[in-house]
Amino acid sequence: MIRRITSTKILQKINKILKHSDSSVLLVFDLDDTIFDTFYRKYFVYENVLRKKYRLPEFDPIFHKIHYGLKSLLETRKISCEDYPEILTIYEDYFLTNELLSLDRPFPGVCSFFEKLLKFKVQIVFLTARPERTMRTGTILSLNKYIFKGKLKNSHLIMKNKLNFSDREFKRLALKRIIDQFSADKIIIFDNEPENCRIFNELLPMEARVIKFNSIQKSNCKFSGFVLESWDLSTY
């Protein structure tokens, strides 16, 4: 069953849990296209690297909103499939780097949400499939700039350090370790990928809450939890 929820309601629920019980709360956040909008990073690589080299059509923001992965975007634009492997490799070589993370911006409302969230005594984990070797420095800089205003506090950053795992397998194994490592009575996890949300359902206890942020992924997906349309706190 999927229900809609707002960022304001999420904060209210957390406050209620902490106020009326001794329960501990753990929040797990994905980064790319859940907290940070990667549009400009994708746009930069496509327009300044790939388009020139492969004579690709102009990047269309509408297609970006519909097709999350670069491969599906290229297929829609009828790009020759024989060029896929090389294009995707070059794309990742640029996209998955510290240098281009400065192009990412938090979604509207994210900074205000975390400003209020950090006033609560909660545990926070950022679980991202970004490769640790090429993106850890830039990720910490982004979190410090937009979320923590200078220093990571009471939080943990878990990144992908083994590239032979798929992103989903990495998150599945990492979430198992998080459950074992953090003793929390209540777990709330955020992601924008429908399949990840389904996997979280399988791993987490019944009382946990899975929240899918509808950024550029399809809204129809099979998991039990909540859908968040906006981080804007003015949305009730």
Side-chain angles (χ1 to χ4, degrees):
M1 180 179 179
I2 301 175
R3 291 160 286 177
R4 299 195 180 279
I5 196 168
T6 65
S7 56
T8 300
K9 288 292 185 183
I10 293 169
L11 292 173
Q12 289 173 346
K13 287 178 181 294
I14 294 171
N15 184 49
K16 185 176 181 180
I17 293 170
L18 297 175
K19 191 174 181 179
H20 298 288
S21 71
D22 295 325
S23 299
S24 57
V25 179
L26 169 65
L27 295 103
V28 183
F29 295 90
D30 172 50
L31 294 181
D32 285 347
D33 295 311
T34 298
I35 291 177
F36 292 106
D37 186 352
T38 65
F39 171 79
Y40 293 106
R41 187 161 29 123
K42 291 187 180 81
Y43 179 84
F44 180 90
V45 178
Y46 186 95
E47 284 292 319
N48 293 278
V49 181
L50 300 179
R51 189 180 173 203
K52 293 178 180 179
K53 184 176 177 63
Y54 295 97
R55 297 181 180 179
L56 301 179
E58 184 177 354
F59 191 94
D60 188 338
I62 295 178
F63 280 99
H64 166 74
K65 290 293 182 182
I66 300 173
H67 302 282
Y68 179 63
L70 180 68
K71 185 175 180 179
S72 62
L73 175 66
L74 294 176
E75 287 173 344
T76 304
R77 306 310 297 274
K78 299 180 180 179
I79 308 302
S80 174
C81 61
E82 64 185 27
D83 290 328
Y84 283 164
E86 184 177 331
I87 291 176
L88 292 174
T89 297
I90 294 175
Y91 173 78
E92 290 184 353
D93 286 345
Y94 283 88
F95 186 74
L96 301 178
T97 61
N98 287 311
E99 290 74 17
L100 295 188
L101 280 178
S102 62
L103 298 175
D104 289 0
R105 293 292 181 271
F107 284 102
V110 163
C111 296
S112 297
F113 175 85
F114 274 93
E115 184 179 351
K116 292 186 178 296
L117 178 65
L118 293 173
K119 293 178 181 178
F120 296 138
K121 291 184 178 180
V122 296
Q123 300 178 90
I124 298 174
V125 172
F126 295 100
L127 175 59
T128 173
R130 292 177 177 180
E132 187 169 34
R133 184 179 63 84
T134 61
M135 300 186 81
R136 185 172 185 82
T137 300
T139 298
I140 291 175
L141 286 174
S142 295
L143 289 172
N144 278 333
K145 180 177 181 180
Y146 294 110
I147 307 301
F148 295 99
K149 309 300 181 184
K151 186 178 181 180
L152 294 176
K153 297 178 181 178
N154 193 30
S155 65
H156 294 258
L157 173 60
I158 300 176
M159 305 183 71
K160 189 176 179 181
N161 54 21
K162 293 184 179 180
L163 300 182
N164 56 323
F165 286 139
S166 68
D167 290 356
R168 289 195 182 106
E169 181 66 6
F170 158 73
K171 286 199 172 183
R172 186 181 70 81
L173 295 173
L175 185 56
K176 281 187 175 182
R177 292 194 296 270
I178 290 171
I179 295 171
D180 293 336
Q181 180 181 348
F182 294 87
S183 55
D185 302 305
K186 193 74 171 180
I187 301 175
I188 306 173
I189 187 166
F190 300 78
D191 205 293
N192 71 300
E193 300 239 14
E195 186 60 23
N196 286 342
C197 291
R198 187 190 63 78
I199 292 172
F200 299 157
N201 276 152
E202 296 175 356
L203 295 176
L204 291 169
M206 288 285 291
E207 63 271 16
R209 293 291 178 262
V210 178
I211 300 176
K212 177 187 177 295
F213 178 60
N214 269 349
S215 53
I216 55 177
Q217 285 283 20
K218 293 180 179 178
S219 58
N220 57 318
C221 50
K222 296 180 180 179
F223 78 99
S224 178
F226 296 85
V227 169
L228 176 66
E229 298 288 352
S230 170
W231 290 101
D232 189 350
L233 294 177
S234 66
T235 304
Y236 288 90

